Amino acid sequence: MSAGHGPGQGHGHAEGHGHGHGHAVSAAADKKLLGGALALIVGFMIAEVIVGLAAGSLALVTDAAHMLTDAIALALALLAIRLAAKPPAGGFTYGFKRVEILSAQANGITLLLLAAYFVYEAVSRMIHPPEVKGALVLITGVVGIAVNLLATWLISKANRSSLNVEGAFQHILNDLFAFIATAIAGLVVLLTGFARADAIAALVVAVLMLKAGIGLVRDSGRIFLEAAPNAIDPQALGAELCAIEGVVEVHDLHVWEITSGEPAASAHIMVAEGLDCHQIRIQIEQVLAERHHLTHSTLQVDHATADDRSAHCSDSHGAVHRSITTAGQAPDPASPAH
């Protein structure tokens, strides 16, 4: 915490407010759960490649390739958890928490690339369907459902508020759906001889992979671009802070996520002369924490005169929010910065 006095203006207070970021499931528990799921996936993936090639099934080979990405996703998730636990050091003032977001984005991009490839392969097999051994496909699909149900259950008990863990979960969940589609395709081929059912199942899997991949890339991209969390509207938040008694103006308001589930905020707050800056800052921090779950906030609080407001506004970034009582002027909740 630091405090300074600037010439020609009120007290300037730059306040660093720490945060506690906890989860119902510890990182150690997450690692055990993800490790158990990884062992299941790798073991069954090897068996599925062998059976898929023997059965001539694109659906099984698709599932096996998807399980390979599952294994990679789980390995990346485990690595990200380990790196994210490292304390801040040197130039990495937030530590390595965003490694989790890198992992989530890698998972999403991988899903998109695989979806495109399997759409191509499935369309090719729809045109020229190969012979498919329905019995092998059906048996492998049923066993795969059981394996993925167990793996999905394990990861569902981990901390899914982490985009990293959620990325791994989406991989496994999509694989579960894939095995359901594969089992149905195997049954259809076995009972009717309709070989194109295998390619149709692969298309269903590809669509599911596409949906999950888009979601992961979108959410991780928002964090990398330091967009505000979906649940927080910065314009509404600025107006809300200006409504606090004694607050004259709010500018340089920034809201972002350090990593998934860990939002942060910073702002420059101008308060009326003669009021207690510290008390108003505490009140603002309570509003941020209790109403918006922003427990990591950095606020600079200054006393304001008319000249100060003009100077600060001219150098601000983003919208400037003013109280309706400021010099008898009408509110301007979203005036652009100069």
Side-chain angles (χ1 to χ4, degrees):
M1 178 185 301
S2 63
H5 301 275
Q9 65 181 33
H11 301 290
H13 304 282
E15 302 291 349
H17 188 71
H19 65 93
H21 183 59
H23 302 290
V25 182
S26 69
D30 281 349
K31 286 191 287 187
K32 288 182 179 179
L33 292 166
L34 293 176
L38 178 59
L40 281 171
I41 294 300
V42 170
F44 187 74
M45 178 189 68
I46 295 172
E48 188 178 21
V49 170
I50 297 171
V51 176
L53 292 175
S57 169
L58 176 63
L60 285 182
V61 174
T62 301
D63 287 338
H66 192 192
M67 291 192 82
L68 176 61
T69 68
D70 293 343
I72 294 172
L74 288 168
L76 284 174
L78 287 165
L79 177 62
I81 289 172
R82 181 181 296 275
L83 290 175
K86 290 181 175 293
F92 296 92
T93 56
Y94 280 125
F96 295 87
K97 293 180 179 180
R98 281 200 176 172
V99 171
E100 294 185 331
I101 310 306
L102 281 171
S103 172
Q105 190 165 72
N107 288 338
I109 292 172
T110 302
L111 283 170
L112 293 178
L113 292 174
L114 282 172
Y117 172 74
F118 289 128
V119 165
Y120 170 78
E121 283 293 327
V123 171
S124 297
R125 290 200 171 205
M126 289 284 286
I127 299 171
H128 303 290
E131 182 183 354
V132 178
K133 297 178 181 178
L136 281 176
V137 175
L138 174 60
I139 293 170
T140 307
V142 171
V143 176
I145 290 171
V147 170
N148 275 265
L149 275 173
L150 182 55
T152 302
W153 176 76
L154 284 171
I155 300 180
S156 70
K157 294 171 67 66
N159 170 36
R160 286 181 56 202
S161 67
S162 164
L163 193 59
N164 173 48
V165 175
E166 178 64 16
F169 178 79
Q170 287 298 330
H171 267 271
I172 303 301
L173 185 63
N174 274 274
D175 218 27
L176 173 61
F177 294 147
F179 275 113
I180 293 173
T182 299
I184 294 173
L187 182 62
V188 170
V189 173
L190 182 63
L191 296 178
T192 69
F194 182 60
R196 286 185 176 88
D198 183 74
I200 293 172
L203 278 175
V204 171
V205 175
V207 171
L208 294 172
M209 292 167 70
L210 184 65
K211 180 177 180 294
I214 289 173
L216 286 171
V217 171
R218 182 192 62 235
D219 293 343
S220 60
R222 284 184 60 85
I223 291 177
F224 281 131
L225 292 173
E226 298 193 335
N230 289 322
I232 300 176
D233 179 357
Q235 297 297 326
L237 178 61
E240 182 180 357
L241 297 182
C242 278
I244 295 174
E245 185 176 357
V247 175
V248 173
E249 180 178 296
V250 176
H251 56 258
D252 287 344
L253 173 62
H254 301 287
V255 186
W256 71 100
E257 284 186 284
I258 298 169
T259 187
S260 53
E262 194 169 336
S266 65
H268 193 176
I269 311 293
M270 309 296 288
V271 303
E273 289 186 286
L275 298 183
D276 187 342
C277 286
H278 291 291
Q279 186 59 43
I280 292 176
R281 173 184 56 78
I282 291 172
Q283 189 176 352
I284 292 173
E285 287 174 348
Q286 289 175 338
V287 168
L288 293 175
E290 295 172 5
R291 299 183 187 176
H292 303 284
H293 307 291
L294 285 163
T295 54
H296 186 121
S297 59
T298 304
L299 305 174
Q300 180 181 346
V301 183
D302 288 303
H303 285 136
T305 65
D307 291 339
D308 290 332
R309 289 196 297 274
S310 297
H312 285 299
C313 176
S314 66
D315 193 35
S316 63
H317 302 280
V320 176
H321 307 270
R322 296 191 179 93
S323 166
I324 60 173
T325 60
T326 301
Q329 298 175 356
D332 186 8
S335 61
H338 302 285

